[in-house]
Amino acid sequence: MARIVQKFGGTSVADITRIKSVARRVKREVDAGNQVAVVVSAMSGVTNQLVAWTNDLAEIPDAREYDVVVASGEQVTAGLTALALQEIGVPARSFLGWQVPIETDGSHGKARIGGIPTESLRGCMDAGVVAVVAGFQGVGPGDRVTTLGRGGSDTSAVALAAALQAERCDIFTDVDGVYTTDPRIVAKARKLDKITYEEMLEMASLGAKVLQTRSVELAMNHRVRVQVLSSFTDAPGTLVVDEDEIVEQQVVSGIAYSRDEAKVTLVKVADRPGVAAAIFGPLSAGAINVDMIVQNISEDGTTDLTFTVAKADLARTVKVLEEQRGTLVYQALKPDSNVVKISVIGVGMRSHTGVAQLMFKTLADKGINIQVISTSEIKVSVLIAEEYTELALRALHTAYGLDV
Ligand code: ASP
Ligand code: MG
């Protein structure tokens, strides 16, 4: 008998028909002799509505009450799913975050899980009862309800799988797995049978929305075998696994893109020690994350410095830098949100050369100008004008031999 965790996202529990179909899927695992813990999201659209209501009431809602409101979507689905299971003869009960308990810190709206005592869940499952856990929520200091950040029920599921030492954590969604790139843009995109934790982490943090980034981190740290698959079909999904489980590793496994970044160029900044610190110090003090950075060589004692921030932080970035005008000398500040970051990702890069060069050449052949470059051990990212997103993705997908 194996213990498994099955997580169902918003579209998989969008209405009563879908919830009934989820119950039948859970029943199949139970009938196969497995102990099942189910983690559910709110029905699709519900969390957005709840967030909107808090914003209608308060410009900056009290984070503790915000969590009480937005956590409620998962409570509804947990109860309905337990009912649906009971209706087809499967003993089931719901658990809210505090009942498990899923213990978190007090950073409301983005709480981190500290520990999950599993006695109550194990007791339930050992008695042959399916435990249906409300995802996305936990309990923080002072017994306050907390939530784990948008998309957080993926993290609930992986954390539970780790705590329960589950054999598998199946994440059911509305796509049938992880693709080499966005299939809505590249028709030749291919579903991957397996992907390594590290690649998945890069894909998730670079814009592939299929798993919450933190859930991948957690899976990697605890070696949880995650499978991403569709609740709308019976096709096998994508397994997220350790590198040594992948026999034939491609050099590049996937290409991600993010339209969420914006570029800022400071023209003719004085080129002397301490300048970078004077620019990035105030930004980090303002909790603005900087991603890519380039600095040109200097010939006349000044230099151009370009970097990227989240699009949502662009206005604030400009404001912070303008406030530094007294101490920071520069000729002009040029914000540009018409950019996209494209990244090629693959653990095979560690042992192969020429990966970056192929990217540069492919883009050059299409006449696409590269504005900023950054690299890490397993990825190469470039910033280009947003209008070239589709062209660049398709050309790179072909160049790296990923087309079906
Ligand atoms: N319902 C929450 C959200 O929409 C959590 C989740 O679905 O993972 O962000
Ligand atoms: Mg999700």
Side-chain angles (χ1 to χ4, degrees):
M1 185 202 299
R3 217 178 283 131
I4 61 171
V5 172
Q6 294 187 298
K7 181 258 169 178
F8 296 92
T11 49
S12 301
V13 292
D15 54 37
I16 298 300
T17 311
R18 298 288 318 147
I19 291 176
K20 285 181 174 171
S21 135
V22 162
R24 289 193 294 274
R25 202 175 274 277
V26 174
K27 183 175 191 299
R28 289 217 294 268
E29 290 296 344
V30 174
D31 290 346
N34 295 318
Q35 283 194 355
V36 189
V38 177
V39 175
V40 288
S41 287
M43 296 161 91
S44 62
V46 167
T47 310
N48 288 344
Q49 175 65 75
L50 296 168
V51 170
W53 279 334
T54 66
N55 290 325
D56 286 348
L57 259 169
E59 201 173 327
I60 303 171
D62 177 294
R64 292 155 299 188
E65 301 309 340
Y66 167 94
D67 275 351
V68 172
V69 176
V70 302
S72 66
E74 273 72 11
Q75 171 162 351
V76 174
T77 335
L80 289 173
T81 306
L83 281 176
L85 283 163
Q86 291 171 3
E87 285 301 306
I88 56 173
V90 180
R93 72 150 279 194
S94 62
F95 285 86
L96 299 183
W98 64 269
Q99 292 172 314
V100 173
I102 296 183
E103 296 169 351
T104 74
D105 65 14
S107 31
H108 286 273
K110 50 175 187 317
R112 299 188 77 92
I113 298 175
I116 307 183
T118 54
E119 294 81 64
S120 59
L121 287 182
R122 280 179 204 268
C124 172
M125 293 162 82
D126 287 344
V129 177
V130 172
V132 185
V133 179
F136 184 48
Q137 52 173 268
V139 56
D143 287 340
R144 303 298 304 248
V145 172
T146 55
T147 63
L148 309 179
R150 295 306 305 271
S153 44
D154 292 337
T155 298
S156 311
V158 173
L160 269 180
L164 290 167
Q165 292 170 306
E167 192 173 286
R168 230 174 53 226
C169 180
D170 287 345
I171 307 266
F172 287 93
T173 172
D174 50 8
V175 293
D176 54 4
V178 179
Y179 278 73
T180 47
T181 192
D182 188 341
R184 290 167 302 182
I185 295 184
V186 182
K188 291 174 179 162
R190 192 154 50 76
K191 189 178 78 183
L192 295 160
D193 297 328
K194 288 183 178 173
I195 186 168
T196 67
Y197 292 116
E198 282 170 291
E199 290 166 334
M200 191 64 231
L201 193 56
E202 293 284 6
M203 298 275 264
S205 55
L206 291 167
K209 298 255 177 332
V210 47
L211 287 176
Q212 197 200 30
T213 306
R214 270 174 52 195
S215 72
V216 186
E217 255 164 32
L218 205 61
M220 183 160 94
N221 293 340
H222 295 271
R223 293 288 178 257
V224 175
R225 288 174 65 86
V226 172
Q227 183 179 199
V228 178
L229 69 176
S230 167
S231 69
F232 294 78
T233 66
D234 283 322
T238 301
L239 274 173
V240 189
V241 293
D242 232 13
E243 202 171 326
D244 45 328
E245 277 196 49
I246 299 185
V247 190
E248 268 192 73
Q249 185 65 57
Q250 296 265 12
V251 178
V252 164
S253 302
I255 307 174
Y257 69 99
S258 165
R259 297 188 211 260
D260 292 340
E261 284 189 42
K263 181 181 74 165
V264 177
T265 303
L266 284 169
V267 183
K268 288 192 178 292
V269 196
D271 190 22
R272 51 179 157 74
V275 167
I279 295 169
F280 298 116
L283 292 180
S284 97
I288 295 169
N289 266 326
V290 173
D291 179 26
M292 312 167 93
I293 303 177
V294 276
Q295 185 186 331
N296 292 349
I297 55 160
S298 124
E299 274 168 2
D300 60 353
T302 71
T303 180
D304 293 348
L305 206 135
T306 299
F307 58 91
T308 64
V309 295
K311 240 173 215 165
D313 287 337
L314 182 59
R316 238 161 25 93
T317 302
V318 171
K319 188 160 165 270
V320 167
L321 292 176
E322 273 168 357
E323 282 165 6
Q324 299 301 312
R325 243 345 236 278
T327 40
L328 188 66
V329 183
Y330 57 85
Q331 196 184 75
L333 192 169
K334 293 186 179 166
D336 178 4
S337 54
N338 175 37
V339 290
V340 64
K341 182 170 76 172
I342 307 231
S343 309
V344 299
I345 297 155
V347 293
M349 275 180 215
R350 290 199 197 108
S351 46
H352 286 79
T353 54
V355 178
Q357 175 51 24
L358 180 58
M359 183 176 204
F360 305 152
K361 178 165 189 317
T362 305
L363 296 175
D365 288 348
K366 295 288 176 192
I368 300 172
N369 184 40
I370 298 172
Q371 303 178 8
V372 189
I373 301 169
S374 74
T375 63
S376 80
E377 211 189 1
I378 67 160
K379 76 158 193 251
V380 185
S381 303
V382 295
L383 199 74
I384 61 172
E386 188 171 8
E387 58 264 31
Y388 295 118
T389 310
E390 284 79 9
L391 180 62
L393 284 177
R394 289 188 194 123
L396 291 169
H397 200 266
T398 304
Y400 286 104
L402 296 173
D403 289 355
V404 275

